[in-house]
Amino acid sequence: MATTHKTRMLIIGSGPAGLSAAIYGARAGMEPIVVQGLQPGGQLTITTDVENYPGFREVIQGPWLMQEMEAQAVHVGTRMMWDTITDVDLSGDVFTAKGDSGDVYEGDTLVIATGAQAKWLGVPGEQELSGKGVSACATCDGFFYRGKRVVVIGGGNTAVEEALYLTNHATEVVLIHRRDSLRSEKILQDRLFAHPKISVVWNKRIDRFLAGEDGALRALAVIDTETGEQSEILAEGAFVAIGHAPATELFKGKLEMDDTGYLIVEPGTPKTNVPGVFAAGDVSDHVYRQAITAAGTGCMAALDAERYLAARHFAGVTETVQY
């Protein structure tokens, strides 16, 4: 039979943002429920070496970090639910979410931490070599390519920014774009073209990623989009930078979002346009997209949720006294 689960703070998503919100919410006595979704632990569960999360002098593993966050959240009073939300109702004083299991979740406040996923090319070798030379985050993994030759795939702001960032580590950065001009802002293009470590390869489509004898990335097989000519570009690291897709399909028509699907929040806060509903992590962040920034906004969401409930309770008490 379907069960209705009630809580003062309902959290959808179990990455760094969702679990940080849960830890703060639980410690505030809100008895949060976290509905974990299709990918419990979020993007870090498919990340191997993590070297930029504060508090660990040695490289740690992404799945282990998320296991520890979840254990901490449970330890302080969070209820973890293995379910996937298929529909939400944000129209009432209590927010309702329906799970794929048939269960219903009701929250006095709602924290949305469903995240965003990098867009991939979908070509052979891409997923097989993920973590072995292929990445979608230069800020996360660029450090591991010190002194090496790397490529960045894409033509927008993200691709150009990642190429510029990688010059801090790599000896040579090659930007590969399928067209003959970039879509990025002109100021970024000027910096890119002026940088001595960066070269651009135009009109090339990635056909596949090729592994070497050691099982790591050796080269990219590319096809010229004008002539059809096939060739290889040697590289020890490849960064796919063609954008991210926020997991916000559930909230279309129910919350304000931008043209690319990211939830819009009040600047400097996790507050959405619906009072009591908060967005944390990559679901509303198309700029930084780091585990530590996601965790920070999860903390902010929990603190604001607690303040929202306190203000609502005070208003209710005041009205009762007036009558």
Side-chain angles (χ1 to χ4, degrees), residues 129-141:
L129 292 173
S130 178
K132 300 177 182 178
V134 178
S135 171
C137 181
T139 308
C140 310
D141 300 329

Side-chain angles (χ1 to χ4, degrees), residues 95-177:
F95 307 113
T96 302
K98 296 180 180 179
D100 185 61
S101 66
D103 284 4
V104 175
Y105 304 88
E106 296 182 351
D108 296 329
T109 59
L110 174 64
V111 176
I112 300 167
T114 47
Q117 293 186 334
K119 294 179 181 178
W120 295 94
L121 297 168
V123 300
E126 185 175 48
Q127 295 305 313
E128 293 84 351
L129 292 173
S130 178
K132 300 177 182 178
V134 178
S135 171
C137 181
T139 308
C140 310
D141 300 329
F143 185 77
F144 301 112
Y145 296 90
R146 288 168 293 174
K148 298 182 178 181
R149 186 176 195 260
V150 301
V151 301
V152 176
I153 302 153
N157 283 351
T158 298
V160 174
E161 288 169 350
E162 298 228 324
L164 289 166
Y165 173 81
L166 286 165
T167 60
N168 296 315
H169 305 292
T171 54
E172 183 181 356
V173 180
V174 180
L175 181 71
I176 304 174
H177 189 39

Side-chain angles (χ1 to χ4, degrees), residues 280-321:
D282 291 4
V283 76
S284 59
D285 174 17
H286 53 78
V287 177
Y288 301 104
R289 295 193 297 265
Q290 299 298 300
I292 186 62
T293 52
T297 56
C299 162
M300 293 162 63
L303 294 175
D304 279 344
E306 182 184 7
R307 291 166 182 159
Y308 166 80
L309 289 179
R312 196 169 73 172
H313 175 73
F314 177 77
V317 169
T318 303
E319 289 176 6
T320 300
V321 170

